Amino acid sequence: MNKETVYALLSCVLWGFFPLALKALKTVSAPEILATRVVSAFLCVVILLLIRRQWSWLGWVLRRPSVLCLLGVSALLLGGNWLLYI
């Protein structure tokens, strides 16, 4: 079995346990869980970009308001989806 298949299976197993983790966090509000998730994901992306030194795309994106708008809309849709799920 190749490593991609193993990664896919492991992600499915971990995703299956996610509702149990949310049940354990039932005393925490959904917006607080979402905010923690957003901050931790942001930090992970920044660390990965620092390690890989892949910042060249950032200037291109910042000079294009239409791209920024689309990224903002997609972020709002993803955040709303997660908020409903939590």
Side-chain angles (χ1 to χ4, degrees):
M1 194 177 321
N2 59 14
K3 68 179 180 179
E4 289 84 7
T5 305
V6 172
Y7 292 154
L9 290 173
L10 285 173
S11 69
C12 288
V13 169
L14 288 173
W15 189 253
F17 285 114
F18 191 66
L20 295 175
L22 289 178
K23 186 172 181 154
L25 293 171
K26 66 182 174 184
T27 59
V28 181
S29 70
E32 190 174 353
I33 294 172
L34 182 62
T36 302
R37 185 171 169 83
V38 167
V39 170
S40 61
F42 175 76
L43 291 175
C44 286
V45 168
V46 168
I47 289 169
L48 281 173
L49 288 173
L50 284 171
I51 290 170
R52 298 184 63 162
R53 295 183 180 143
Q54 292 182 333
W55 295 97
S56 60
W57 59 272
L58 191 58
W60 183 86
V61 170
L62 292 176
R63 286 189 299 271
R64 289 167 177 76
S66 61
V67 174
L68 282 174
C69 183
L70 286 174
L71 288 173
V73 168
S74 66
L76 287 174
L77 289 171
L78 283 169
N81 182 12
W82 267 101
L83 194 57
L84 286 173
Y85 180 76
I86 295 170

